[in-house]
Amino acid sequence: NLQTIPKPKMWEDATDAESNLIRQCFIPEEGFVLMEADYSQIELRVMAHIADDDAMIEAYLDDRDIHNETIELAGLMDEMPDADSDSIRRVAKIVNFGTQYEPDDRSASYVVRRTCAEAKVFITEEQSDAIVAAKREAYPGVTRYYNKIKGDMKQQGYVETEMGRRMYTPWIDGWGRQVAKTNNAQWREAVNMPIQGTAADIIKMAIIEIWNCL
């Protein structure tokens, strides 16, 4: 992924991170420097816009920290009374980024537990269930977005970015475990595409604008 050069994960030792092996490939010629420009939290911002979630939009318009918002709105300090502030903030980031494309609550809860464990923060299933439920309640526009995507899959058989690029993801009619499993996987991809696709569109247009400016 040359559009975003990888960085150390938040739980890794920055001096010994696996991504450093890739970053060594990006070395400027002598006398030159590489400049990195980044849209901060672009996918979360795009989600706020597309989902039309009042809480997320208000936080971004007021330039508030979205992770601190999640700590407060999802009651993470109440759910993790014995955790230190760094661990709670790590969980807030995991909840915001890790569950954004998980419309199924059970899957989202599993992702939170698994990713927290990778980040050396260990929570119970009951805690992750409660955290996901609180996040859904805090950002109801996101849940409405999930349901809209499912409706688009059933009614028109595709989803699209804000710029009109489409991905065809028809909902499969029928019963049975395999049908449900396939539909849930398709639903997850369909939730993802308008957000990541729109973010990619914006960045590609920005790259062209930067090139023209230079």
Side-chain angles (χ1 to χ4, degrees):
N1 179 2
L2 303 187
Q3 193 163 278
T4 306
I5 306 171
K7 296 179 180 179
K9 303 297 184 185
M10 56 188 171
W11 56 84
E12 287 184 313
D13 176 1
T15 62
D16 191 35
E18 187 177 27
S19 58
N20 290 347
L21 296 172
I22 299 175
R23 294 185 72 82
Q24 290 172 15
C25 299
F26 294 84
I27 302 172
E29 296 180 32
E30 188 173 347
F32 291 82
V33 297
L34 288 177
M35 186 191 77
E36 182 178 28
D38 182 29
Y39 280 90
S40 175
Q41 301 175 4
I42 186 170
E43 289 179 29
L44 289 176
R45 294 174 188 271
V46 171
M47 172 65 91
H49 168 72
I50 292 180
D52 196 25
D53 186 273
D54 291 338
M56 292 184 75
I57 291 171
E58 183 179 328
Y60 278 123
L61 289 177
D62 289 347
D63 201 25
R64 300 201 301 266
D65 185 290
I66 197 70
H67 304 312
N68 287 342
E69 292 289 300
T70 298
I71 289 172
E72 183 178 343
L73 294 175
L76 293 188
M77 298 185 77
D78 294 332
E79 292 297 333
M80 305 171 61
D82 299 325
D84 57 52
S85 58
D86 286 344
S87 296
I88 291 175
R89 183 169 175 80
R90 260 182 282 170
V91 172
K93 286 185 174 183
I94 288 167
V95 169
N96 282 335
F97 290 114
T99 66
Q100 175 154 272
Y101 305 124
E102 289 290 344
D104 180 78
D105 288 354
R106 187 173 180 182
S107 296
S109 177
Y110 170 74
V111 167
V112 169
R113 285 197 310 282
R114 184 196 68 203
T115 313
C116 281
E118 292 173 355
K120 310 302 182 188
V121 179
F122 300 97
I123 60 176
T124 66
E125 183 176 350
E126 290 75 16
Q127 284 176 308
S128 63
D129 287 349
I131 288 169
V132 168
K135 196 223 175 184
R136 304 295 200 216
E137 185 176 353
Y139 304 116
V142 177
T143 300
R144 291 195 299 270
Y145 167 73
Y146 295 153
N147 293 330
K148 177 186 180 301
I149 291 295
K150 183 184 284 188
D152 289 344
M153 293 172 69
K154 291 180 177 180
Q155 294 169 21
Q156 62 191 24
Y158 65 84
V159 295
E160 59 186 353
T161 70
E162 290 289 278
M163 286 70 178
R165 284 196 299 116
R166 292 181 179 179
M167 181 176 75
Y168 288 86
T169 56
W171 189 268
I172 300 173
D173 293 325
W175 303 94
R177 184 177 179 182
Q178 191 58 45
V179 170
K181 184 178 179 180
T182 301
N183 278 336
N184 278 336
Q186 290 262 86
W187 187 21
R188 193 177 302 112
E189 289 184 17
V191 163
N192 179 303
M193 187 271 183
I195 307 299
Q196 282 199 336
T198 297
D201 290 343
I202 292 170
I203 290 174
K204 288 184 178 77
M205 290 189 292
I207 289 171
I208 293 170
E209 289 296 319
I210 290 170
W211 177 259
N212 291 337
C213 179
L214 293 174

